[in-house]
Amino acid sequence: MAAAAPAADGVPGRGTPGEVIHLNVGGKRFSTSRQTLTWIPDSFFSSLLSGRISTLKDETGAIFIDRDPTVFAPILNFLRTKELDPRGVHGSSLLHEAQFYGLTPLVRRLQLREELDRSSCGNVLFNGYLPPPVFPVKRRNRHSLAGPQQAGGRPAPVRRSNTMPPNLGNAGLLGRMLDEKAPPSPSGLPEEPGMVRLVCGHHNWIAVAYTQFLVCYRLKEASGWQLVFSSPRLDWPIERLALTARVLSGALGEHDKMVAAAMGSEILLWALQAEGGGSEIGVFHLGVPVEALFFVGNQLIATSHTGRIGVWNAVTKHWQVQEVQPITSYDAAGSFLLLGCSNGSIYYVDVQKFPLRMKDNDLLVSELYRDPAEDGVTALSVYLTPKTSDSGNWIEIAYGTSSGGVRVIVQHPETVGSGPQLFQTFTVHRSPVTKIMLSEKHLISVCADNNHVRTWSVTRFRGMISTQPGSTPLASFKILALESADGHGGCSAGNDIGPYGERDDQQVFIQKVVPSASQLFVRLSSTGQRVCSVRSVDGSPTTAFTVLECEGSRRLGSRPRRYLLTGQANGSLAMWDLTTAMDGLGQTPGGLTEEELMEQLEQCELAPLASSRASLPSPSPRASLTSLHSAFSNSSLSSRRGSPSPPQAEARRRGGGSFVERCQELVRSGPEPRRPPTPAPRPSSGLGAPLAPPKMKLNETSF
């Protein structure tokens, strides 16, 4: 210790290379030589022993360093042998400590080790990359809109997220955009003009919406994806996007490709040319904020939760607005549009016959069914069975309610006049149902409890739903997504979890855990099993995603392909081959593991949620960062077969809460010295004794 004292006292030049240096790293003693610690110049240790950094000694005189001793052991071994032996230490932790100590050779070796696993060319599923397009000039024509959009005489609110992507610098198209900033939104918050807000696909076409313009790509067999249309710069941020690329047996011929964008109550519609270019069809006004924008055949549909629907027909060029009950859900089957309303009714519109079927110049909206309890219909899914006779299809409708109920109704072709009949009811959700999907083999429902999913297998006889043996419970899991209610950058439509895909047994959910995540998890919708996970090739956060079903090539043996499209904060678009991932299904684990969830939560600030414990908000149809109250409930981390029983819920409440709650406590507690975990007491067999949460590994399907 006497030999170490001169160095510890900060006297430069003292000591010999062979003297012994005693270190106390986080409470653990290490002994090594001065030569071992200082052979890398300009490191933390050379500065420490030369006196450039003040030292703190413990009661034995050893130099105290307040760092993790577990990670320090392989670092010291590298200084001794110049060989890397991680000894079970996580690579990111080792790299972080090596950067803190300024060990340049070790940092470079660890970075090269990570680069072997991560490539800018992506993994085997990476299928394509489209760079950011050129920022267009401002739109100047008779339809140009100036200032905030008006809705009812007042500026329409623009929903914004509190989480924005990091500063993107002057790379790509953003160098041009920094000189021409987007106008401030009515909310007063800044816009990010270069990030992808929305992405959608139809057949072999893709539409990508940025803050003030949109672009369209077309897939050609020989030349790949080609940019065929770029809209002028708009005066408002795009909130909704819709694309139709082909209408089978349509009356428009080759002029059946259209793209529409909406913000507030305004809707812009363009006609697309197959070989490139496009022309503006017009601007339409719904009068109230547009909540949903989509095509049914060649009809453009816009709906609002206020109870208003607008329909535009491509043949007659007629725009019609109609008042209905407040609309909470919708789905389309063939040429029929079904609307679920807050009064418990399901209405239908035959858009193919619009506007031929008019009644007093009003859109003919007919009531199809009314919920027995008159609960609001918050989710809707229609399944048309193959035709079994000349009279038509069976119509099967599954819908979810605001009280958490799931019902299935069926209409036979022979009983069209009597309306659908109630077939089956499930009451397994305690929060409003936000999504529902009835497919050939499965019934899938999602509620507002952090996207809690329940699935059932559907039994069919001769293509029609059967009462025997009924729907069998299949899986229960969560698609945890801590995205705010309005999505990344103020648009929720770009981060829809799904399910995506044709109505078969290969539909998938897309899970983005935290708002600024660059990694997405693809999970089978029927069981929650993980299909694959993808990470952005350029490291930028993923701001929008969707799944595209592409047509097969004309070449012999080609089949349709399914792609995951991801839009990035830097304006690029990446494509991932889900067909290949589905072919290898079963080789990857299920949902997020506990370690993966902790790694994701490192990117997310959970501390503001502390105030939510005092007053729990009411359930919302969208799972959001500010509505994690359900994570504290007894169903926060449900098992594969259902929610915890009431005694288990009480035990979880008394014994420290759910895993998400413990994560929040860790974030709120800040950097404190680690303490050994206190062993949980064994549950007592007595009825009056308090229960303690059992120590078990979390079910990975819970995430």
Side-chain angles (χ1 to χ4, degrees):
M1 287 307 302
D9 292 336
V11 181
R14 294 283 183 91
T16 61
E19 74 171 304
V20 177
I21 305 297
H22 299 282
L23 303 174
N24 180 347
V25 181
K28 186 175 181 179
R29 297 290 298 273
F30 294 90
S31 297
T32 185
S33 67
R34 173 186 288 268
Q35 183 179 9
T36 298
L37 289 178
T38 59
W39 70 267
I40 297 179
D42 298 326
S43 68
F44 170 83
F45 301 108
S46 60
S47 300
L48 183 71
L49 298 181
S50 66
R52 293 195 297 269
I53 298 178
S54 60
T55 60
L56 177 65
K57 294 186 288 185
D58 64 6
E59 65 278 1
T60 64
I63 301 175
F64 179 75
I65 302 176
D66 191 12
R67 305 298 292 183
D68 188 354
T70 305
V71 187
F72 182 76
I75 289 179
L76 181 58
N77 185 67
F78 173 80
L79 293 174
R80 288 168 173 164
T81 64
K82 299 181 177 58
E83 297 292 335
L84 180 59
D85 182 15
R87 299 182 184 180
V89 178
H90 197 274
S92 61
S93 301
L94 191 58
L95 176 60
H96 183 269
E97 291 298 290
Q99 291 172 336
F100 170 80
Y101 291 121
L103 307 178
T104 306
L106 180 58
V107 169
R108 182 57 181 157
R109 184 173 297 192
L110 290 171
Q111 289 175 339
L112 288 173
R113 185 182 178 188
E114 286 190 350
E115 290 175 3
L116 290 178
D117 299 327
R118 298 180 185 178
S119 170
S120 61
C121 300
N123 57 24
V124 69
L125 300 179
F126 182 58
N127 189 262
Y129 181 85
L130 300 176
V134 177
F135 194 70
V137 296
K138 191 171 183 179
R139 172 173 169 265
R140 299 182 186 278
N141 54 33
R142 63 186 181 87
H143 296 304
S144 184
L145 307 172
Q149 304 307 301
Q150 299 296 315
R154 293 176 300 175
V158 177
R159 294 179 299 277
R160 295 286 302 168
S161 171
N162 293 325
T163 305
M164 298 298 294
N167 184 17
L168 305 177
N170 296 324
L173 82 129
L174 294 174
R176 242 177 113 176
M177 292 191 296
L178 288 177
D179 298 329
E180 201 171 6
K181 288 283 189 180
S185 65
S187 62
L189 295 176
E191 293 284 352
E192 288 289 345
M195 76 174 188
V196 176
R197 293 173 61 89
L198 297 165
V199 56
C200 65
H202 191 219
H203 291 283
N204 292 345
W205 287 67
I206 296 174
V208 184
Y210 297 86
T211 300
Q212 290 183 280
F213 71 102
L214 63 89
V215 295
C216 293
Y217 298 90
R218 182 192 178 191
L219 176 62
K220 297 184 179 180
E221 187 173 338
S223 55
W225 291 98
Q226 302 293 320
L227 178 66
V228 294
F229 173 72
S230 178
S231 75
R233 177 183 171 186
L234 307 178
D235 293 305
W236 35 258
I238 298 175
E239 285 192 338
R240 297 290 181 266
L241 184 67
L243 171 71
T244 180
R246 192 182 71 172
V247 180
L248 297 176
S249 303
L252 301 178
E254 290 296 324
H255 304 284
D256 58 357
K257 300 171 180 61
M258 293 172 283
V259 64
M263 182 274 171
S265 62
E266 308 288 342
I267 303 169
L268 266 75
L269 181 64
W270 290 272
L272 304 176
Q273 306 298 326
E275 299 304 322
S279 58
E280 183 177 310
I281 296 176
V283 180
F284 309 105
H285 303 264
L286 189 62
V288 292
V290 177
E291 295 292 328
L293 188 68
F294 54 95
F295 284 94
V296 177
N298 56 4
Q299 331 287 332
L300 176 65
I301 312 292
T303 65
S304 173
H305 70 278
T306 60
R308 186 171 296 181
I309 176 175
V311 181
W312 182 82
N313 185 276
V315 178
T316 63
K317 313 296 183 184
H318 190 276
W319 170 256
Q320 177 71 33
V321 177
Q322 176 70 29
E323 295 288 343
V324 199
Q325 291 290 330
I327 300 171
T328 51
S329 58
Y330 72 92
D331 194 20
S335 62
F336 285 93
L337 172 64
L338 276 75
L339 304 174
C341 298
S342 61
N343 64 347
S345 295
I346 298 177
Y347 297 89
Y348 75 94
V349 182
D350 190 351
V351 296
Q352 186 177 17
K353 298 179 180 179
F354 172 83
L356 301 178
R357 294 184 64 180
M358 302 290 289
K359 181 181 178 182
D360 299 330
N361 200 33
D362 287 337
L363 185 65
L364 189 58
V365 180
S366 305
E367 186 178 51
L368 179 69
Y369 183 81
R370 183 178 290 267
D371 182 73
E374 297 187 353
D375 288 337
V377 180
T378 55
L380 197 61
S381 177
V382 185
Y383 181 79
L384 293 180
T385 64
K387 284 189 176 182
T388 56
S389 64
D390 295 335
S391 56
N393 303 79
W394 276 42
I395 300 178
E396 301 171 3
I397 302 173
Y399 69 91
T401 67
S402 57
S403 62
V406 176
R407 301 185 190 271
V408 180
I409 57 178
V410 177
Q411 178 170 295
H412 302 266
E414 296 82 5
T415 59
V416 175
S418 61
Q421 303 297 316
L422 183 60
F423 179 79
Q424 201 163 6
T425 299
F426 302 93
T427 54
V428 294
H429 292 293
R430 298 177 56 192
S431 300
V433 177
T434 57
K435 294 180 177 294
I436 199 161
M437 178 60 66
L438 179 61
S439 60
E440 180 182 357
K441 297 182 179 180
H442 300 105
L443 173 62
I444 301 164
S445 63
V446 185
C447 78
D449 177 17
N450 281 331
N451 294 332
H452 177 224
V453 183
R454 289 294 297 264
T455 67
W456 298 269
S457 59
V458 175
T459 304
R460 295 187 177 274
F461 179 70
R462 294 182 180 176
M464 296 171 288
I465 196 167
S466 174
T467 58
Q468 300 296 333
S471 299
T472 305
L474 191 60
S476 174
F477 55 95
K478 282 189 177 181
I479 306 295
L480 181 63
L482 302 183
E483 188 73 71
S484 68
D486 299 316
H488 193 129
C491 195
S492 61
N495 293 289
D496 186 10
I497 65 171
Y500 293 97
E502 302 295 335
R503 294 178 185 256
D504 53 17
D505 58 347
Q506 292 192 338
Q507 288 185 317
V508 295
F509 284 113
I510 308 298
Q511 181 177 13
K512 187 175 79 167
V513 182
V514 295
S516 298
S518 60
Q519 184 178 15
L520 300 180
F521 298 89
V522 182
R523 300 174 61 178
L524 202 62
S525 62
S526 57
T527 62
Q529 181 181 5
R530 187 191 304 180
V531 177
C532 63
S533 63
V534 300
R535 187 184 298 272
S536 62
V537 294
D538 51 17
S540 62
T542 300
T543 55
F545 51 82
T546 190
V547 173
L548 172 63
E549 306 279 344
C550 272
E551 299 172 336
S553 170
R554 297 177 182 177
R555 297 168 183 167
L556 185 63
S558 178
R559 59 171 176 165
R561 308 293 296 183
R562 182 177 302 183
Y563 297 101
L564 169 62
L565 309 177
T566 61
Q568 310 302 134
N570 61 2
S572 63
L573 186 75
M575 284 160 280
W576 311 83
D577 187 359
L578 286 188
T579 301
T580 300
M582 297 297 292
D583 291 342
L585 186 62
Q587 303 175 5
T588 52
L592 275 72
T593 62
E594 185 175 341
E595 292 77 12
E596 288 174 327
L597 181 62
M598 286 297 295
E599 182 180 351
Q600 293 283 317
L601 291 180
E602 288 179 359
Q603 311 172 47
C604 184
E605 178 61 51
L606 297 177
L609 298 175
S611 60
S612 64
R613 299 184 62 182
S615 59
L616 299 181
S618 58
S620 171
R622 293 172 179 162
S624 66
L625 184 62
T626 57
S627 62
L628 270 176
H629 66 281
S630 53
F632 308 133
S633 66
N634 56 5
S635 58
S636 60
L637 293 176
S638 59
S639 63
R640 186 175 178 83
R641 288 297 177 183
S643 301
S645 61
Q648 292 172 328
E650 180 67 17
R652 197 169 281 178
R653 184 183 68 82
R654 296 181 182 179
S658 65
F659 177 69
V660 176
E661 184 178 0
R662 296 199 300 272
C663 294
Q664 296 162 355
E665 293 293 342
L666 289 175
V667 175
R668 287 193 294 269
S669 61
E672 293 183 357
R674 294 191 175 185
R675 298 181 177 88
T678 304
R682 297 182 178 274
S684 174
S685 59
L687 296 177
L691 298 176
K695 289 182 70 66
M696 61 177 65
K697 189 166 183 64
L698 296 172
N699 189 345
E700 58 187 8
T701 61
S702 299
F703 307 114

